[in-house]
Structures are given as structure tokens and as C-alpha cells.
Amino acid sequence: MKNNTIVFARPYLGKDEEHAALRVLRSGWLTTGQEALAFEQEFAEFLDRGNKASLSGASLAHGNTIQAQSSVLHALAVNSATSGLHLALQALGVGAGDIVLVPSYTFTASAETALYLGAEVVFVDTAPNSFLLDVEKLKETIERLKAGQSPYQSGGPKGRLAAIISVHFGGLPCDMKAIMELAREQGIPVVEDAAHAFPSRLENGKYAGDLGDIGVFSFYATKTLCTGEGGMLVTRDAALAKKIEIMRLHGIDRPVWNRYTGEKASWYYEVSAPGYKYNFPDLLAAIGRVQLKRAEKLLAMRQEIAACYDRAFCDDERFIIAPTGGANAYHLYPLRLNRQKCLISRNDLITRLQKEGIGVSVHFIPLHTMPFYKNRYNLKDEDFPETMKCFSDEISLPIWPGMSAKQVRRVIKTLRNVCR
């Protein structure tokens, strides 16, 4: 790598994160404890601001809907978003013989967690000119499965429709209003894969992740809120929250961390289910609390970079910029090549950019093309035409807080030059 390489992604960490980590190291308590509990509470409060904003202008005529929306938001920290998706599906009762609907245009964690539970996945195509789940295709797939038909031309699994996983891509939320209306009509719960979508705030003030039955966020090293590893589940269903809380740490019926601390300390506990080791340590929670406090600042930095890219490429016929909007958290900046105007292939472009010291990537390689899923379900590209259009032309540009204006200009200039 050249010394002047612009990396694709980089966390924005400073002295405050360093001091927070040192505070935990010096406390003598590194695993799940008071820091993790505080992080959960603060994260729920952050998202709940959006719920209160949406309720402030709501009509009391909605009755039960208003009551449901104003219920307590439970936030449960886990060691990864993948763990969170696993726990979410299990809490919803997904099991052997069930079907989970997942967009093909996503990372493998969105699908593999259903298979952990013995269920099968059915992939759904992307909406035209979008990286997001096609609601009409989703409806069509549900109708086919409920009629006992195969989901694809080539066949596919059948079973009880147990859950929908909606994936917010790159920071841009799906059409959750339409998805939730369809899901409620069909009686299917919805898990939001919001790994890319913090803090994606919609026009009504609510945040992505707090729109379905359960939302799952990621704090991986490249994400918009970064702790290195980790994730968070949120739900307004107290019963689901209780199931997840027990299962995330060995199925033990009480918080293990306070067996040794506080007035109610006790060595005794009971295992009520065969749970998992998915808890979130205080060391990472302390970093997350700092990142949460500067979430709006970090978002503004990404928005500024995205605006520069938009201005540079919106009138250039060689490129197709992604759908934009105020709700976009800009975890990614996906750019598509216009095949009719751009004379270089996507793969050659990436190779040339990397040689010039510009870190780029591709999001995502569709799951239906992966050998495991392709062979398991006999999948073909023709079943997912819009997904393949997005994938074949897409590159993701660097967009991380701390990028200088000079670096952003260099990305733009290099991309233009290489495409000549």
C-alpha cells in the first residue's frame, strides 16, 4: 500500500474513547456490567427521542396504535449484530420447517441466522433503481408461498412464513411503512437489519431500527457507531425483550454480573434455557457511550462528504448516484456505473483505483450467487434481475468521519481520470 493511500473505512476515535477505555481497565471489571447497562439505557433514550417526536403530532383517534407506539423501548447489547439477528429470530419462535424472507442484496449474516435455527431462507429481489427490498416482489413471494407454490421458477423451499428481515442498505432505510402494512396484513413479524442505519431518522422523527418488531444494529469496526465489535437489539415488546435477555447469556434467569456486587448480590442462579454466550463487555460499552454522544457530529461529517460526491457525480452521465434522502445515515456511498457511458468495467475500475491508492469496495455480492445458497436452493440470476443490475455496476467509495476535503477531492479526481 502506498503511504498516501486513502483507506476505504476508518473508525473515528479520539481521547474521549481512550479515557473511557482506561476508566474501565482501571475499574477491575471488564465484562458485562454497569457500563453496558448505561450504554443500553442511553441508546434507548437516543432512539426514543424519535418516537416521542412522531407521537407529538399524532391523532388520539388512533387509540391502540398510539398506546403501542409509546411503550417502553428495550435496548439489549450483544457481541455482534449477527448474534442479535439470531436472538431476534429465536425470540420470534423461528424454527425447523419455517421460512424467513430475506433480500438477496445483503450480507450473509441476514440469512445464515435463520439456518442456525433449522429454518430455510427465501430471497427477494431488489426494487428497480434501488439497493432496497422490493415490496411488490415481497408481496408476490408471500402469496406464492401461502398458495403452496415454489418461490422461484427453479423451485425453492416451502414452509410456514415465520419472519421477514428487512435490510436497510448503506444507511438508507427500506420502505418500512409499506413493509409493515404488508406484514401486519399477513401476520408475519418483521426484524429490521439496521446494521448500516444508525442514526437514520425518518421524516416523522422515528429512527430506523425502531420501526419493526425487533431492530438490530451493528457496532463493527467500520460502522457509523464503532466499538470494534458488538451490536444492539431494540424492541417495544417486553416479552420478546425478556426472552432475548435470558438467551444472550447461557439462558441464566438473572444478570450474572451482579452476583458479586450490590446489596442483592447472590451466588445462586438458575438456567431456564440452553442459551448462548452473546453478552457485550463493559470495555466496548464505554467506547460506545462516547461514540453515541457524538453520533450527530459523525453523521454531519458523513453527510458533508456525501454532498461533495453528489455534486461531483450527479451531472456526470458515466455514473448513477444512489437514492438520497434526509434519513440516510451514509454508512456507505454506493455509486453505479452507467454501462452505456462508462467505457471501463467495474472490476477493472476497482483495480485501477486501488493502484492509485484509493480504497473502494463492493456492497454486496448477492447471496443467491454464493455457492452455499446457490447450490442449496438451485438459484439462478434470472430470479433476481434488479439485484444483479445493482451488483454488476456498483462500487462503494470511502466515506468516513475524519476524511479531509483534500482526500475527498482526490477520490473524485482519480475516479474521473480512471474512467476516461
Side-chain angles (χ1 to χ4, degrees), residues 153-169:
Q153 294 180 2
S154 53
K158 300 176 184 178
R160 181 183 75 99
L161 287 168
I164 297 168
I165 296 183
S166 60
V167 179
H168 305 311
F169 175 84

Side-chain angles (χ1 to χ4, degrees), residues 254 258-267:
R254 55 170 295 185
N258 68 2
R259 281 189 292 156
Y260 310 107
T261 59
E263 296 179 0
K264 297 183 179 180
S266 172
W267 57 269

